[in-house]
Amino acid sequence: CLLGALALLHSTTVSADIPNPCASTGMSPYDYSQALCMSYVFYEAQRSGKLPGDQRVTWRGDSALNDGSDVGHDLTGGYYDAGDHVKFGFPMAFTATMLAWGQIDFANGHSKAGQTSYGHAALKWATDYFLKAHTATNEFYGQVGEGNTDHAYWGRPEDMTMSRPSYKIDQSRPGSDLAGETAAALAAASIVFKSSDSSYSSQVLSVAKELYEFADQHRDIYTNAITDAASFYNSWSGYGDELAWAALWLARATGDNSYLDRAKGHVSEFNLLGTPSQFGWDDKKAGVQALLVLLDGSSEYTNALNQFLNFVRNQAPYTPEGLVFLDAWGSNRHAANVAFIALYAAKLGIDAGTNQQWARGQIGQLLGDNSRYQSFVVGFGVNPPTRPHHRSSSCPDRPADCSNGLTNSGPNPQTLWGALVGGPAQDGSYNDDRQDYQHNEVACDYNAAYTGALAALVELS
């Protein structure tokens, strides 16, 4: 009996806080290669479902294995959104699109850093889930887990017992923004996997086409169907940007100019050449403009993209430290997002020196270019955050209790390697406080464009 009890204890206990899986490369002024590697480690910490044998974040285990059982579908897998355990499909799809974009256009940086296969694995973890969630031609499950119920629980995903309802869009209650963003993610992924897995590439491209038609032919905001998401990821910019975004990624993936023509129609219909105030999971206009420059090259598109970059460089607010400050929530994330756009514009030949220098400075702010010499990436650089607002990493080794995970004054027992925290307030102030979720939560979309920007800087190093 004692041996049996010991065996059971061993089977439910995970290893202690893991050492950094990413070796230093000696790159300066910052080790962009190591940071890129660590960002993909963070995505492993966010995995839901049955974990693979090569999982590097060993303090995580299989979780949410009944997702979708309430609707008779297998909806296991995908990513937990942030420090919580909801699977919000809209930001997850944006995350996948941006990871794919970084792997397509900064492939050399991924290769140089030895991260190509890890990048593919991170992307496929999302796209495999999207394929499961596409349960009929005009049906897509866009959320698993109820926001407030989930947020009332502080503990490991492996220990969850609450109900995790599944929410969908369909022909009677459509969601053009959600379907469009997922179509964009799958179309971009088809480019990533075209040379390494042509069958999978064709599969995701076929679903991308179906989801785009669903988005365009049955139009509405997705939160009218998935009302629980409205308090967390409401699509304030509307769905026009996602329709254009999806059509442009399909144009790029297929070479079919009819998609480009449809994208231009969406741009005209929804006035998408105005200057946005940011680029992120909600507002894709800057990304639409950048892809139009690539696929068409007309001066009106180049001018629109230039106006956005001029705004963020010269007119947007900044912290006293020099971080462009586009939103009080996820200020670091927004700086990384526009840094990616600037690096991509540079690759297109638009003010290359200026855009590269500015973007390098913004990523530098995240990695330690401030008066405190403080990194905002967990486990990286000098004085990094040690108390991110993140449930599973705040828990000690299983099966120990996690009831004081939120209020524990010490560092998180598990290091959430590579996670970019929310970031400073506009006055530059920042406290490493787990209970300050505005400035210390992490999220899949926070790391998404940041990952691509790191790959771009590896290329330039």
Side-chain angles (χ1 to χ4, degrees), residues 199-348:
S199 176
Y200 187 75
S201 174
S202 297
Q203 181 184 12
V204 294
L205 182 59
S206 176
V207 175
K209 292 175 181 178
E210 281 195 7
L211 285 172
Y212 170 62
E213 297 302 336
F214 175 30
D216 194 24
Q217 294 173 16
H218 305 280
R219 294 186 176 188
D220 204 351
I221 296 291
Y222 87 103
T223 50
N224 287 336
I226 305 178
T227 56
D228 185 70
S231 298
F232 305 96
Y233 289 103
N234 196 52
S235 185
W236 299 106
S237 70
Y239 55 72
D241 52 335
E242 281 82 27
L243 289 177
W245 183 238
L248 287 165
W249 277 111
L250 280 164
R252 189 172 185 187
T254 64
D256 183 345
N257 282 335
S258 68
Y259 285 116
L260 180 58
D261 291 339
R262 292 174 71 177
K264 291 177 181 179
H266 299 316
V267 168
S268 177
E269 179 183 0
F270 297 101
N271 190 28
L272 301 181
L273 295 186
T275 302
S277 61
Q278 55 186 234
F279 170 66
W281 60 263
D282 179 22
D283 192 336
K284 318 293 167 32
K285 286 193 286 291
V288 166
Q289 293 165 12
L291 288 182
L292 283 167
V293 174
L294 171 71
L295 297 174
D296 182 279
S298 298
S299 60
E300 62 177 322
Y301 305 135
T302 304
N303 290 340
L305 182 59
N306 259 325
Q307 288 173 11
F308 173 68
L309 292 170
N310 181 67
F311 162 72
V312 296
R313 288 198 311 264
N314 302 309
Q315 299 167 2
Y318 280 72
T319 69
E321 301 284 359
L323 182 78
V324 65
F325 194 86
L326 302 179
D327 200 301
W329 289 87
S331 56
N332 284 337
R333 165 262 310 266
H334 282 288
N337 289 358
V338 293
F340 178 92
I341 295 292
L343 287 162
Y344 185 66
K347 187 153 190 169
L348 293 174

Side-chain angles (χ1 to χ4, degrees), residues 341-394:
I341 295 292
L343 287 162
Y344 185 66
K347 187 153 190 169
L348 293 174
I350 300 173
D351 292 334
T354 299
N355 282 317
Q356 287 172 2
Q357 182 180 10
W358 181 83
R360 190 185 297 273
Q362 291 305 301
I363 299 301
Q365 285 284 317
L366 309 183
L367 302 183
D369 278 356
N370 49 67
S371 62
R372 297 183 298 271
Y373 301 103
Q374 180 177 48
S375 166
F376 288 106
V377 177
V378 178
F380 181 89
V382 177
N383 191 26
T386 61
R387 300 168 181 82
H389 183 89
H390 184 264
R391 286 159 176 76
S392 57
S393 68
S394 78

